[in-house]
């Protein structure tokens, strides 16, 4: 696999990092090279647009965008590229991520954002979903995904065994 980043993780603020780190951890686990950036759709719109519009030309294949509150980051990024964009609504603010969920998932027809769950589970799934897309054209990655599923199932069996009476 190439060592230049294939996945770009963008978040609106460093306050999103504890959530978005879950996506980074999954990509690291599967050996997928990625880049992590902070860029805001409203605090630095021009910079965010340039980051998105230039991504494909430098080899990025998928963008994961995480933001909270009135989270327009994923949609703005999707507007600037035809790369698949995976959105992660991050928790926080008065509505604790429900606002971000609606802002991210409710894209008008024409510019899709593949929206995950609010918070750490969503960020983790964003990482896995990116790996699944890359695995369409990478048999080693596809094999790793199957092993990951097998390990998950075995973990459930271990937990089930652990609560059985002696
Ligand atoms: C959004 O506003 C960010 O994605 C973050 O989730 C939220 C709050 O940002 P900070 O005020 O913590 O920088 O743009």
């Amino acid at each position: 696999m190439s060592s230049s980043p294939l996945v770009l993780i963008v978040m609106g603020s460093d306050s999103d990092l504890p959530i978005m780190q879950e996506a980074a951890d999954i990509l690291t686990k599967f050996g997928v090279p990625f880049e992590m950036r902070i860029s805001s759709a409203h605090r630095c719109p021009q910079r965010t647009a340039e980051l998105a519009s230039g991504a494909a030309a430098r080899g990025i294949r998928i963008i994961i965008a995480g933001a909270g509150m009135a989270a327009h980051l994923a949609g703005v990024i999707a507007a600037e590229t035809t790369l698949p964009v995976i959105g992660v609504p991050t928790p926080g603010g008065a509505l604790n991520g429900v606002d971000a969920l609606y802002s991210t998932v409710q894209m008008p027809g024409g510019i899709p954002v593949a929206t995950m769950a609010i918070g750490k589970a969503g960020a983790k799934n964003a990482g896995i979903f990116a790996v699944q897309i890359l695995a369409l054209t990478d048999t080693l990655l596809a094999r790793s995904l199957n092993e990951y599923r097998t390990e998950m199932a075995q973990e459930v069996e271990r937990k089930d065994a652990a609560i059985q009476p002696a």
Side-chain angles (χ1 to χ4, degrees), residues 62-65 71-88 102-116 129 133:
I62 299 153
I63 300 178
I64 297 173
H72 32 254
L73 181 64
V76 162
I77 286 176
E80 296 285 348
T81 179
T82 54
L83 292 174
V85 175
I86 306 171
V88 180
Y102 285 166
S103 305
T104 306
V105 77
Q106 285 294 88
M107 285 298 290
I111 309 289
V113 169
T115 304
M116 303 289 121
F129 199 64
I133 295 171

Side-chain angles (χ1 to χ4, degrees), residues 14-131:
D14 61 346
S15 62
D16 299 311
L17 184 56
I19 301 297
M20 298 311 292
Q21 187 61 44
E22 296 281 329
D25 290 348
I26 286 289
L27 297 175
T28 300
K29 177 182 172 65
F30 282 94
V32 172
F34 67 93
E35 179 182 290
M36 244 180 167
R37 304 292 297 271
I38 295 170
S39 199
S40 166
H42 50 276
R43 290 173 178 153
C44 51
Q46 192 64 40
R47 183 172 177 278
T48 299
E50 285 164 12
L51 189 60
S53 62
R58 56 193 186 84
I60 300 288
R61 306 268 305 275
I62 299 153
I63 300 178
I64 297 173
M69 300 178 77
H72 32 254
L73 181 64
V76 162
I77 286 176
E80 296 285 348
T81 179
T82 54
L83 292 174
V85 175
I86 306 171
V88 180
T90 63
L95 302 183
N96 207 19
V98 175
D99 41 5
L101 171 65
Y102 285 166
S103 305
T104 306
V105 77
Q106 285 294 88
M107 285 298 290
I111 309 289
V113 169
T115 304
M116 303 289 121
I118 299 168
K120 286 190 175 184
K124 181 176 186 176
N125 281 345
I128 297 169
F129 199 64
V131 173

